[in-house]
Amino acid sequence: MIDCRNIAKGKEKGELIVSSEPISFLGGVDPETGIIIDPNHELKGKCIKDKVLFIPGGKGSTVGSYVIFQMKKNNTAPKAIICLNAEPIIATGAIMSDIPMVDSPSSTKELKNDVLVEVDGSGGKINILG
Ligand SMILES: C/C(=C\C(=O)O)CCOP(=O)(O)O
């Protein structure tokens, strides 16, 4: 179990998709599919739908919050979000879209691609399931 700061309430399970780079949701992610479309991003072509997204944080336009909300409506959103350091764009998007979110994990060594985790955005914890 990894202690975190709780940002957006709720609890969801999913497989991790990890990036060392921040993501701009406006222009960087296709809300129709959940695929990363930023040509310069390390996750270009990868789909974040139904994944647990682990990123350093967000960047870019504040409209990114609404892109996250649109993704939730389209069923293309991540199940949960983990950030190293939450910032207002992604935190607002997660809160208004009911996507569990935490930041400031006490350890990141187990947070690797494809690991199944449960994010508890209410209690501020990540459980490693396998
Ligand atoms: C509200 C904005 C644009 C719109 O309505 O489409 C401005 C967003 O400003 P940023 O500097 O990109 O956050």
Side-chain angles (χ1 to χ4, degrees):
M1 193 259 298
I2 300 171
D3 284 317
C4 303
R5 180 171 64 156
N6 54 318
I7 301 291
K9 65 182 169 50
K11 195 186 278 190
E12 286 285 355
K13 295 174 191 166
E15 291 178 352
L16 282 165
I17 185 165
V18 180
S19 174
S20 63
E21 298 176 354
I23 290 179
S24 170
F25 276 80
L26 181 66
V29 185
D30 178 1
E32 300 297 321
T33 61
I35 293 174
I36 305 292
I37 54 173
D38 177 346
N40 299 314
H41 199 276
E42 67 182 63
L43 294 183
K44 181 184 177 297
K46 304 276 190 194
C47 186
I48 61 173
K49 170 182 158 71
D50 293 338
K51 299 286 190 179
V52 173
L53 180 65
F54 175 33
I55 51 176
K59 64 174 187 178
S61 175
T62 53
V63 179
S65 303
Y66 300 94
V67 175
I68 293 171
F69 185 72
Q70 187 63 56
M71 292 176 75
K72 181 71 175 193
K73 295 287 178 202
N74 292 347
N75 291 314
T76 61
K79 288 273 190 202
I81 299 173
I82 304 166
C83 287
L84 288 179
N85 297 295
E87 44 62 54
I89 300 169
I90 294 189
T92 301
I95 291 166
M96 70 184 187
S97 307
D98 285 328
I99 297 172
M101 176 174 168
V102 295
D103 84 343
S104 306
S106 58
S107 169
T108 59
K109 66 178 189 299
E110 294 174 284
L111 301 179
K112 306 289 187 200
N113 278 318
D114 303 321
V115 171
L116 182 64
V117 298
E118 179 182 64
V119 175
D120 178 356
S122 303
K125 297 186 187 320
I126 303 166
N127 293 309
I128 307 295
L129 303 177

